[in-house]
Amino acid sequence: MANETNNDELEGNNLARYVDLLGLIIAIIGVVLNFCSFHTAGYLKQRNSSITLIKCLAVWDSIAIFHDGVVNLGGSYFNFIPVNFNRFNCKIFFWHSWGSTVAAIYHMNALAIDRCLAIGAPIWFKQYSKPKLAYKVSFGIAFTAYSVVAINLYLFDIVDGVCQFAANPTLVYWYLRIMLFGTSSSVPFIGICVCNIFFVYQLRNRKSDNDAERRLTIMLVISSMAFMGLLAACMLCLFVLFTITPTNVKEIAYVLVVEKFAEVFAITNSSLNFVFYFVSGPMFRNAFIRMVKDIFCSKQ
């Protein structure tokens, strides 16, 4: 019986390591793709707040996936976990982890709202859509995200050599459900869904809109649809985590795997925007080709 328990634990730990490696690989690829998104956006012909928000989204996606994928999952895979070194690392790590993730999620929402204004109120958008305003919005999102999750500085601490929730269990219970199911998933999911419905309605009924703006909107609709799908997968993993109470070593091991899969889905969600931009139409592809030509021509 003891051997069977040990085998179950070993199997679960091995599977968790494979998921760690998968998350690390996706995160590294995601940082490179977000770098490409950031610089390609500068080659798009439009000069409005949407382009600036695409750049800001790429930056915050990179910060989130580098922290959660490279440092967290990569550190777990190589058995180097700086979060467990001391109380300061523990508190700052999870404050920054949650803050950067929430900031990245709501940058996508800000981009969707910005596109709603672009196609729903084009005259107002043309007058007020400035890059400086987008930078202010980005700063406001990041400041709010880190402020909201500042409670992590209180909730996390080192317990038995491991960084984990160390506050009142009831407080932790409700905090996790409000943050993970509400603030970080359901609210942005509903927001993106409403914006996409509006996009489809407007695009079908306003055929004479500026072609460049229309292409940009379609590009972001495709990206946001993929965002919703991956966010739904992450929410499903969280639902499993909150509804299953493990009763043995095997179940505990597989709950850990589900938790890591939730992280991988979140990392993937912040890694593939470049791919969705690229396949959505010629506008972004042409901008990327111009960027590559400029890079290689400047070296000759």
Side-chain angles (χ1 to χ4, degrees), residues 162-200:
V162 178
C163 183
Q164 56 186 294
F165 283 109
N168 182 284
T170 303
L171 175 61
V172 172
Y173 176 90
W174 287 109
Y175 175 70
L176 285 174
R177 279 150 182 78
I178 292 171
M179 280 299 302
L180 296 181
F181 274 122
T183 307
S184 301
S185 53
S186 299
V187 173
F189 184 90
I190 293 171
I192 293 288
C193 184
V194 170
C195 288
N196 279 345
I197 293 172
F198 180 76
F199 291 151
V200 173

Side-chain angles (χ1 to χ4, degrees), residues 60 95 99 103 107 136-150:
W60 280 104
W95 176 56
H107 271 81
K136 292 179 181 178
V137 170
S138 177
F139 175 81
I141 292 171
F143 180 82
T144 303
Y146 279 89
S147 298
V148 168
V149 302

Side-chain angles (χ1 to χ4, degrees), residues 1-186:
M1 187 68 179
N3 288 336
E4 183 179 346
T5 300
N6 291 334
N7 289 336
D8 290 339
E9 184 177 9
L10 181 61
E11 182 182 351
N13 289 337
N14 287 337
L15 183 55
R17 280 179 56 80
Y18 286 129
V19 179
D20 285 338
L21 179 60
L22 175 64
L24 173 61
I25 293 171
I26 293 174
I28 293 172
I29 294 172
V31 170
V32 174
L33 293 180
N34 281 319
F35 177 84
C36 293
S37 293
F38 180 89
H39 287 283
T40 303
Y43 283 80
L44 293 172
K45 295 180 180 180
Q46 296 95 323
R47 290 292 180 269
N48 54 38
S49 55
S50 295
I51 303 304
T52 305
L53 286 173
I54 288 175
K55 291 182 175 182
C56 294
L57 174 63
V59 170
W60 280 104
D61 276 342
S62 296
I63 293 172
I65 62 179
F66 180 83
H67 187 276
D68 294 338
V70 177
V71 178
N72 188 20
L73 296 184
S76 178
Y77 179 77
F78 291 107
N79 296 316
F80 179 81
I81 308 177
V83 67
N84 294 333
F85 285 176
N86 55 53
R87 293 184 66 198
F88 178 80
N89 282 12
C90 171
K91 292 177 180 294
I92 295 299
F93 184 92
F94 280 100
W95 176 56
H96 177 53
S97 174
W98 289 41
S100 59
T101 300
V102 173
I105 289 172
Y106 279 93
H107 271 81
M108 176 61 82
N109 277 255
L111 191 53
I113 293 172
D114 184 78
R115 281 290 88 198
C116 285
L117 293 173
I119 63 176
I123 297 176
W124 184 93
F125 182 82
K126 187 175 181 179
Q127 182 176 358
Y128 293 101
S129 175
K130 306 297 181 184
K132 286 186 178 180
L133 177 61
Y135 284 123
K136 292 179 181 178
V137 170
S138 177
F139 175 81
I141 292 171
F143 180 82
T144 303
Y146 279 89
S147 298
V148 168
V149 302
I151 192 174
N152 282 8
L153 296 172
Y154 166 73
L155 295 178
F156 282 91
D157 210 334
I158 298 290
V159 179
D160 297 328
V162 178
C163 183
Q164 56 186 294
F165 283 109
N168 182 284
T170 303
L171 175 61
V172 172
Y173 176 90
W174 287 109
Y175 175 70
L176 285 174
R177 279 150 182 78
I178 292 171
M179 280 299 302
L180 296 181
F181 274 122
T183 307
S184 301
S185 53
S186 299

